[in-house]
Amino acid sequence: VAIRGVVLLNASFSREVVPGFARILMRTALGKKHLVRPLLRTEITQVVNRRAWYDATKLTTEVLSLYKAPLCVEGWDEALHEIGRLSHETILPPQCEAALLKAVEDLPVLVIAGAEDALVSLKSSQVMASKLVNSRLVAISGCGHLPHEECPKALLAAITPFISRLLFTVDLQNQ
């Protein structure tokens, strides 16, 4: 497999997505056993989703019920806890961040951000794009943290030319 390019959605080198208090709670048995399950099965899921979407009017009852469906699967809270724990432990220290940036310096990178993202700020995405040697930032206006759900047409409009250029380059190299 040859990697020809990278697309990053709402990416950041910081920990801003998960509030500090939530990171602390997720690392404790109390938070895992007594807070995660009841909180997420209540209206907090709707609050989080409303914060992730810029245009909350798109969050219909049907969309919100789709977000709640995984909460009924056995073991979902254990999986969520593990993801939270791993994401907290895998934040890149500066030396690893530098190594990662060096490893992708020859790859074209498209950084896509919702211009109105309340979870990963546009400024944070701009900082990430500025650190990537061969990157381009596309900010989707009127969009929050989930462009693939909230603004799929705008997301495709951003990604399609990038992928087309990569495919065209591969075709030229193969001739």
Side-chain angles (χ1 to χ4, degrees):
V1 173
I3 298 172
R4 303 280 183 195
V6 177
V7 175
L8 300 172
L9 292 178
N10 302 78
S12 172
F13 283 128
S14 75
R15 297 178 187 207
E16 65 190 287
V17 175
V18 180
F21 77 89
R23 286 195 303 270
I24 292 167
L25 281 175
M26 289 295 283
R27 297 188 75 170
T28 68
L30 174 69
K32 175 181 166 183
K33 186 172 184 179
H34 300 291
L35 295 176
V36 173
R37 186 178 295 139
L39 282 175
L40 289 177
R41 283 206 172 134
T42 63
E43 299 308 308
I44 198 163
T45 302
Q46 290 186 25
V47 171
V48 170
N49 287 328
R50 281 190 170 78
R51 189 163 181 247
W53 286 57
Y54 171 68
D55 184 357
T57 63
K58 293 180 181 179
L59 280 168
T60 63
T61 304
E62 181 183 19
V63 171
L64 288 169
S65 69
L66 290 171
Y67 278 114
K68 284 186 175 184
L71 304 181
C72 298
V73 175
E74 185 177 340
W76 69 268
D77 51 333
E78 295 291 327
L80 179 64
H81 180 266
E82 187 64 11
I83 289 169
R85 186 185 67 76
L86 288 173
S87 66
H88 183 273
E89 291 174 1
T90 57
I91 297 297
L92 294 176
Q95 65 273 23
C96 292
E97 181 182 318
L100 176 65
L101 292 169
K102 177 95 174 112
V104 298
E105 71 183 0
D106 294 332
L107 290 174
V109 179
L110 178 62
V111 178
I112 301 174
E116 285 74 40
D117 189 339
L119 300 176
V120 175
S121 69
L122 181 56
K123 173 110 174 104
S124 186
S125 293
Q126 290 167 331
V127 167
M128 174 169 263
S130 73
K131 292 180 179 185
L132 295 161
V133 174
N134 192 13
S135 72
R136 181 172 159 253
L137 173 70
V138 174
I140 300 175
S141 63
C143 191
H145 188 66
L146 304 168
H148 54 288
E149 295 179 28
E150 188 173 8
C151 305
K153 290 179 183 174
L155 178 63
L156 283 173
I159 292 175
T160 301
F162 178 77
I163 292 175
S164 295
R165 278 192 300 279
L166 292 176
L167 293 174
F168 180 71
T169 304
V170 170
D171 286 346
L172 287 177
Q173 290 173 350
N174 291 335
Q175 291 180 355

